[in-house]
Amino acid sequence: FEQIANFGGSPDNTSCSAKFEQAVFYWVPPTNINHQPDRVNVITLLQGQDSKVFTIASRDIAAGEELYKDYRKFSLPSWFKEFCRSKLLQDVESLGYELNPR
């Protein structure tokens, strides 16, 4: 369950489709994108009829630079957050708020 909590996420544009508002996407293989709100350099987008998720650069990324996004921007459904809590785990969106409260 820990892997599900750690790598369950939502594309940045999930709200564009009611079909996916309650969905959680499991990043396989893990994306190795870290949380750093001040250095965001990638976004994840849901695209196409086959519902594929793409990670794209949001600015130029230097060779060797880590990939960053703001975990607070995930839109995880409440059922997933409750599931993680029931297993005594923390979802990535909540982790983002813990690391960088607004």
Side-chain angles (χ1 to χ4, degrees):
F1 293 117
E2 187 173 351
Q3 289 293 314
I4 293 170
N6 290 342
F7 298 108
S10 60
D12 293 303
N13 65 339
T14 302
S15 61
C16 72
S17 172
K19 176 180 175 181
F20 295 107
E21 286 179 353
Q22 294 298 311
V24 174
F25 292 77
Y26 182 64
W27 310 127
V28 178
T31 59
N32 297 316
I33 298 172
N34 293 312
H35 172 73
Q36 187 58 261
D38 299 330
R39 298 177 66 194
V40 171
N41 56 12
V42 296
I43 58 173
T44 50
L45 297 175
L46 179 66
Q47 294 180 336
Q49 297 288 39
D50 52 2
S51 308
K52 290 184 180 178
V53 176
F54 295 89
T55 299
I56 60 172
S58 59
R59 62 169 175 79
D60 289 341
I61 300 172
E65 182 180 358
E66 287 189 53
L67 302 179
Y68 295 108
K69 74 178 292 163
D70 185 346
Y71 288 179
R72 299 172 301 179
K73 301 291 183 184
F74 282 113
S75 298
L76 295 172
S78 59
W79 70 263
F80 183 72
K81 292 178 183 183
E82 291 168 16
F83 169 80
C84 291
R85 281 192 296 273
S86 76
K87 303 297 180 191
L88 303 177
L89 299 169
Q90 186 172 41
D91 64 88
V92 293
E93 182 180 350
S94 297
L95 174 63
Y97 282 106
E98 180 180 309
L99 295 172
N100 299 96
R102 285 191 185 208

